[in-house]
Amino acid sequence: MSVLCKLGGALFCICKGADSVVGSLCGQTFDGHSAGHLSTYSKLGFRTLAFASRPVSQAEFEEWQTKLSGALMDKQDKERAMARVAADMEHSLTLCGITAIEDKLQDGVPNAIVSLKAAGIRFWVLTGDKTETAVEIARACRLFTECTRLAFLINVESVEQAKEQLEAATKSLRDAAEGGLVLDGTFVSFAAESGELQRQLYQLAMSTSSCVACRLSPSQKRRLVELVRQYNASGVTLAIGDGANDVSMIQGAHVGVGIRGKEGNAAVLASDVVISKFRFLVPLLFCHGRRAYRRMAAFLGRNIVHALQAYRHRYW
């Protein structure tokens, strides 16, 4: 996410985002001091962000603004045109600093997850957080326990490396009593290029107790939801989230649940059902969901019986 602002008569492009993304826009990896702090914050379960900026001349801004106007008028592929214009501005940045934000769990989240897992519901956590942060939060939620053996599919740079990591993870979890899978956006991007990789990823993820996917873009979140729907046609998927980054995922699932919170109403407006706390997912599924399922089954059953009786009376 970037903004252009004027400070003291000078123009600046200021960008904030995940360290992996901001680092690539800076043209270099973070030094040991910054990387060390990022690692420390992540292992404590904090959500991290990096900030970077660069000065922009008036001539460059005017030229870029012309390109922006053209991209806004593009009727064929506006999204791609806007991405190209953004890339023209977001480059050669200088790191300004990093932040750590403590995102505390709501009351009752661990107990709710334990109850849902006991009912046979499988959990996939899809997040934009760093790997270390996502794993620590999964442990705090009791998705991963002390006995969970973790396999990682992260920092992938080629399809061949993705295949190697997938084979190693499969061997590692083959004899595990309780296994957990952790993957990131780099693996998902390469897996999207291979149908065989997608199939193997689904089979491995379904053989584990829980799957955590981190450093995902909104489109990658939806792609993983669609992956489950593709390889499990009889299953019902439910996506739950509270932010704008979760909208694509919520719309891609059979049932979308939005949590009304502090991150705006985008997820709420895109969902089928709205709740105010994550723990309310338990009564939503166990009570109201079960009753709605039985009522719908009874309604359809009666209609089918009446249709058969009418058909028999008419043609027999």
Side-chain angles (χ1 to χ4, degrees), residues 39-235:
S39 177
T40 301
Y41 292 151
S42 300
K43 291 177 180 178
L44 291 173
F46 294 160
R47 307 184 71 172
T48 59
L49 287 173
F51 293 82
S53 68
R54 77 176 181 91
V56 180
S57 66
Q58 186 65 33
E60 181 186 0
F61 172 71
E62 293 175 355
E63 181 182 355
W64 180 83
Q65 200 169 27
T66 303
K67 296 179 181 178
L68 177 63
S69 300
L72 290 171
M73 299 297 292
D74 192 327
K75 296 182 179 180
Q76 295 182 348
D77 196 346
K78 180 179 177 181
E79 185 175 349
R80 183 170 297 180
M82 290 292 292
R84 287 196 299 265
V85 173
D88 290 340
M89 180 59 66
E90 298 171 337
H91 64 85
S92 305
L93 302 177
T94 301
L95 179 67
C96 298
I98 56 176
T99 64
I101 304 170
E102 184 179 11
D103 192 4
K104 292 184 178 180
L105 292 176
Q106 294 179 358
D107 293 336
V109 170
N111 291 335
I113 290 178
V114 170
S115 299
L116 294 172
K117 288 181 68 176
I121 298 174
R122 188 174 298 275
F123 273 87
W124 288 42
V125 178
L126 312 181
T127 177
D129 290 335
K130 284 176 64 66
T131 303
E132 297 85 355
T133 303
V135 171
E136 290 303 319
I137 292 176
R139 286 176 174 150
C141 293
R142 295 166 67 179
L143 282 173
F144 294 156
T145 65
E146 300 267 338
C147 303
T148 305
R149 182 188 299 178
L150 299 181
F152 292 85
L153 304 173
I154 58 176
N155 301 326
V156 179
E157 298 179 354
S158 65
V159 175
E160 290 72 22
Q161 185 180 3
K163 293 179 180 179
E164 292 175 0
Q165 287 195 8
L166 190 58
E167 291 175 0
T170 303
K171 292 179 181 179
S172 174
L173 299 177
R174 185 169 295 164
D175 58 345
E178 182 180 352
L181 184 63
V182 181
L183 61 146
D184 66 3
T186 62
F187 182 89
V188 175
S189 62
F190 285 106
E193 302 175 6
S194 171
E196 181 62 21
L197 270 180
Q198 294 180 35
R199 184 185 62 80
Q200 293 178 0
L201 170 62
Y202 172 78
Q203 291 177 346
L204 177 60
M206 294 302 290
S207 68
T208 63
S209 61
S210 300
C211 176
V212 173
C214 47
R215 278 293 184 251
L216 297 181
S217 65
S219 61
Q220 288 176 327
K221 290 182 179 181
R222 177 161 185 159
R223 182 68 195 92
L224 287 178
V225 173
E226 292 173 345
L227 178 70
V228 176
R229 296 187 62 170
Q230 177 183 351
Y231 289 99
N232 188 1
S234 61

